[in-house]
Amino acid sequence: MTLVYIHSENGLSKAAKEVVTYAKKLGDGVSVITNGNTAADVLTQLGEYGASSVMVDRSVSIEDHQQLLDLVVFAAEKTGATTIIFSHDLTAKAIAPRLSVRLNAGLVSGATDVPNESNAIRVNVFSGKAFGFVKVNSAQRIVSLLPNSIQPEITGSVCGVEEINSGAVTGRIKLITTKKPEGEIALPEAELVVSAGRGLKGPENWGMVEDLAKTLGAATACSRPVADIGWRPHHEHVGQTGVAIRPNLYIAAGISGAIQHLAGVNGSKVIVVINTDQEAPFFKAADYGVIGDAFEVLPKLTEAIRKFKAGQN
Amino acid sequence: MKILVCISKAPDTTSKIAFTSGNTSFDENGVQYIVNPYDEWYALVRALELKETLGGNVTIITVGNAVDESIMRKALAIGADDAVRIDAEPKDAYYTAMQIAAFAKNQSFDLVLVGKETINYNGSQVGGMIAEALELPFVSLASKLDVADNVITLEREIAGGVQVVEVSTPAVISCAKGMAEQRIPNMRGIMAARTRQLTVVPAVEIQELTSYVLYDLPVAKSACKMISPDNMDELVQLLHNEAKVI
Ligand SMILES: Cc1cc2nc3c(=O)[nH]c(=O)nc-3n(C[C@H](O)[C@H](O)[C@H](O)COP(=O)(O)OP(=O)(O)OC[C@H]3O[C@@H](n4cnc5c(N)ncnc54)[C@H](O)[C@@H]3O)c2cc1C
């Protein structure tokens, strides 16, 4: 049996469908354990992606990693799972390593594919500059799947949902406040990203980056110096020492494409580079390039997207 | 405050990444090693700042071979008080974490700090594993860290925002950007670090739960298609029809 942990506040995320699809591909039968407020008639749709049953414990909080760990341990024992799957997000980073020690089970974090013919799992190493293939030597294994690595696939029909009480105990970490900027798209999960660097000259010029992002429905990102000088918040910093992202589309304006920057974005499916300097190294990593001034190109691109979207409706 | 900072070596960010022995091991030829940036810039510097305001002692620990002592000296030059090396090849995150946990077990550290991930294996595993082995609370991806009266106040990253949390010492924290600023060691620190005594501890027996069996390099991108800055409609059409991303 393969056990999948998903969080399901406010419905089923794409990441949740991805991990269930991934588990289904392992071919062992799939049980899902979750918490959160999503109604049973929504959770039942996980069956379409391959789940044979879903267990939900409404009393466990997404914020309490200690409780979540207990919840997953409880479900692993109950199902006798030999593989436990997470989406490689912030929750997985907090609990999967603890679970590895608790169960004495090898952990593969950031998997980008199903196990190959010799049962090794591909992960990104050297900040995306290479792949590694990891084999698990223990009887049980834990895998966290990098978001956007596989596409959700509908292969079945709705499944049963069981309300459970795992008896998970409250952890020792006390939550004081949560600050979540409204309306912004979270960068790590974004499928479209518009990013800008020092070529934008100052924070007052980010309006055109935000306009393009809003028109596209994209998240915004930036290069490291831009976050370091405080033009943009730290959580937007992508690269080897910032967030690593792999959206479907990454648009980079006024970013030179230093090796450390590329390390965080080279998993993107398609890269568009806008730069005044035709020698900018970023063009070597790009699929589409525009040699030009971001101050002129960005508004024009925004306009073209707007026209395109209007034409589609 | 008694603080343990876990540091790892990592290839310099400009290193050429290549593999040898039939793609089964990293080619170290010509590679310069540095202290993993998250460990140095955030975990170590914040530990030193806490010591400077609250008093106490900062010990750095690494699992590695004698050749890795240069990164220990770098950490001492920046200001660490003691440096410990567990004498073993760090086989995987679990092996490394269990070695550190075995060392830390009876030492009553108030804080154990790790960087949020290494830039070579990017696993984000070691901190949580140490916490579980020591049965301590673990706060991952903290971007702020303060301590007063044995209560640690942290900001941690969550999906689309940040959260303020509190936990009593002792605890294990993984440190991310925002927590501190990089410190460049001065000449006096560098000279003093050269002759400092390094503690070497034998490894304990730990099983290898995972192994890296093979490496591979991504295929190079095909040539970039150039589009005139006056023809953004064409770019949009290509993104829609050819790349199929919008
Ligand atoms: C250990 C280490 C880790 C690092 N980690 C990271 C990391 O995680 N992420 C990261 O981003 N960097 C990182 N860096 C820094 C990296 O080396 C580069 O310095 C940085 O990415 C450069 O940022 P930039 O491209 O915004 O600025 P610049 O290098 O200054 O480039 C600006 C670009 O804008 C172009 N430009 C100027 N004006 C315009 C205009 N009007 N229109 C269009 N284009 C214009 C220029 O031609 C140039 O290419 C790291 C460095 C080190 C040493």
Side-chain angles (χ1 to χ4, degrees):
Chain A
M1 180 61 79
T2 300
L3 177 69
V4 178
Y5 168 75
I6 60 163
H7 33 89
S8 55
E9 316 83 67
N10 317 314
L12 300 176
S13 63
K14 176 157 176 277
K17 295 170 187 168
E18 285 170 7
V19 281
V20 174
T21 302
Y22 184 90
K24 167 78 178 172
K25 285 179 190 288
L26 300 181
D28 255 350
V30 182
S31 259
V32 175
I33 179 74
T34 187
N35 56 316
N37 55 14
T38 297
D41 61 350
V42 176
L43 293 175
T44 184
Q45 294 164 18
L46 289 167
E48 297 170 1
Y49 299 90
S52 41
S53 65
V54 177
M55 293 175 283
V56 54
D57 185 342
R58 310 269 178 203
S59 70
V60 170
S61 154
I62 171 79
E63 321 289 2
D64 189 338
H65 295 150
Q66 186 69 47
Q67 250 192 341
L68 282 177
L69 175 65
D70 285 353
L71 174 67
V72 178
V73 170
F74 171 87
E77 275 167 14
K78 195 168 158 173
T79 55
T82 46
T83 303
I84 300 157
I85 314 264
F86 294 88
S87 179
H88 190 55
D89 56 13
L90 296 159
T91 312
K93 286 179 187 175
I95 65 179
R98 298 199 79 132
L99 187 66
S100 167
V101 173
R102 188 78 74 87
L103 300 179
N104 211 23
L107 167 60
V108 180
S109 39
T112 58
D113 206 347
V114 290
N116 66 13
E117 56 287 349
S118 47
N119 218 12
I121 300 176
R122 192 177 68 176
V123 297
N124 289 335
V125 290
F126 296 96
S127 303
K129 293 173 197 166
F131 307 119
F133 290 85
V134 189
K135 249 187 165 154
V136 175
N137 310 320
S138 49
Q140 252 178 328
R141 66 179 169 186
I142 306 164
V143 178
S144 67
L145 176 70
L146 207 60
N148 218 4
S149 296
I150 65 160
Q151 285 304 311
E153 284 169 24
I154 292 192
T155 50
S157 55
V158 293
C159 67
V161 176
E162 186 191 353
E163 304 275 342
I164 61 158
N165 187 338
S166 65
V169 293
T170 311
R172 283 179 276 175
I173 296 164
K174 204 163 89 194
L175 175 61
I176 309 296
T177 54
T178 298
K179 303 180 226 172
K180 250 187 191 170
E182 284 300 317
E184 281 177 33
I185 297 170
L187 186 53
E189 291 117 58
E191 296 195 355
L192 307 173
V193 175
V194 180
S195 184
R198 221 149 46 176
L200 270 271
K201 313 268 186 313
E204 66 280 8
N205 300 323
W206 245 262
M208 53 190 176
V209 177
E210 282 164 355
D211 278 349
L212 175 58
K214 212 176 267 155
T215 310
L216 264 174
T220 50
C222 68
S223 68
R224 178 176 156 211
V226 163
D228 280 354
I229 25 184
W231 293 358
R232 298 297 294 175
H234 283 314
H235 64 79
E236 283 197 1
H237 159 194
V238 293
Q240 186 154 17
T241 52
V243 192
I245 54 171
R246 42 193 352 245
N248 289 336
L249 174 62
Y250 184 72
I251 301 178
I255 302 178
S256 57
I259 187 164
Q260 298 92 353
H261 185 82
L262 295 180
V265 302
N266 53 13
S268 310
K269 217 162 114 198
V270 172
I271 295 179
V272 174
V273 167
I274 302 163
N275 201 302
T276 41
D277 176 9
Q278 62 177 39
E279 301 292 325
F282 219 148
F283 284 119
K284 290 205 179 70
D287 300 278
Y288 302 102
V290 182
I291 300 165
D293 187 341
F295 288 73
E296 289 162 22
V297 176
L298 285 174
K300 280 187 191 161
L301 180 54
T302 307
E303 199 37 54
I305 301 269
R306 210 168 265 145
K307 240 170 52 197
F308 164 76
K309 293 221 158 171
Q312 280 208 312
N313 291 329
Chain B
M1 287 290 285
K2 211 176 144 190
I3 308 176
L4 183 66
V5 180
C6 308
I7 67 170
S8 169
K9 70 169 179 181
D12 176 39
T13 53
T14 56
S15 305
K16 181 171 157 25
I17 304 302
F19 301 97
T20 59
S21 318
N23 277 351
T24 57
S25 62
F26 177 55
D27 184 358
E28 293 192 302
N29 220 328
V31 169
Q32 276 262 19
Y33 280 99
I34 57 171
V35 183
N36 182 48
Y38 294 106
D39 308 348
E40 178 191 325
W41 301 350
Y42 310 130
L44 176 58
V45 175
R46 189 63 193 136
L48 296 172
E49 289 170 357
L50 289 174
K51 178 189 108 167
E52 284 153 12
T53 48
L54 304 170
N57 165 288
V58 174
T59 302
I60 63 102
I61 186 165
T62 192
V63 179
N65 301 309
V67 290
D68 303 331
E69 289 187 348
S70 63
I71 65 155
M72 302 170 72
R73 299 217 183 268
K74 172 83 184 278
L76 288 169
I78 295 170
D81 300 295
D82 297 298
V84 177
R85 176 170 67 83
I86 312 251
D87 190 22
E89 180 68 25
K91 294 187 182 111
D92 68 352
Y94 180 84
Y95 182 90
T96 306
M98 291 307 109
Q99 296 294 344
I100 294 171
F103 171 82
K105 199 164 193 84
N106 299 313
Q107 305 252 3
S108 48
F109 288 103
D110 300 296
L111 272 180
V112 177
L113 304 185
V114 297
K116 82 160 188 182
E117 65 185 41
T118 60
I119 61 169
N120 38 355
Y121 286 94
N122 310 97
S124 238
Q125 298 185 7
V126 171
M129 288 175 170
I130 295 174
E132 186 64 24
L134 296 176
E135 294 177 31
L136 292 179
F138 173 54
V139 178
S140 54
L141 301 177
S143 52
K144 271 211 176 91
L145 160 63
D146 280 295
V147 186
D149 301 326
N150 301 323
V151 175
I152 314 168
T153 307
L154 300 127
E155 272 188 29
R156 75 171 174 208
E157 201 185 320
I158 54 163
V162 291
Q163 215 163 48
V164 180
V165 297
E166 271 180 14
V167 63
S168 305
T169 57
V172 181
I173 314 291
S174 95
C175 306
K177 183 162 183 165
M179 189 177 277
E181 297 287 334
Q182 184 180 6
R183 272 191 193 181
I184 311 294
N186 59 28
M187 202 30 105
R188 199 156 51 110
I190 295 169
M191 295 308 286
R194 271 196 192 161
T195 52
R196 290 272 289 286
Q197 184 75 38
L198 307 176
T199 308
V200 179
V201 179
V204 292
E205 189 83 38
I206 298 292
Q207 70 194 114
E208 215 180 315
L209 291 184
T210 63
S211 348
Y212 280 82
V213 290
L214 199 67
Y215 295 93
D216 201 0
L217 292 168
V219 283
K221 282 233 175 196
S222 52
C224 171
K225 210 175 245 182
M226 287 302 180
I227 291 123
S228 152
D230 297 317
N231 200 353
M232 285 304 101
D233 291 329
E234 183 192 349
L235 177 58
V236 171
Q237 283 314 316
L238 286 168
L239 292 175
H240 179 62
N241 294 321
E242 187 177 76
K244 300 190 174 19
V245 289
I246 60 169

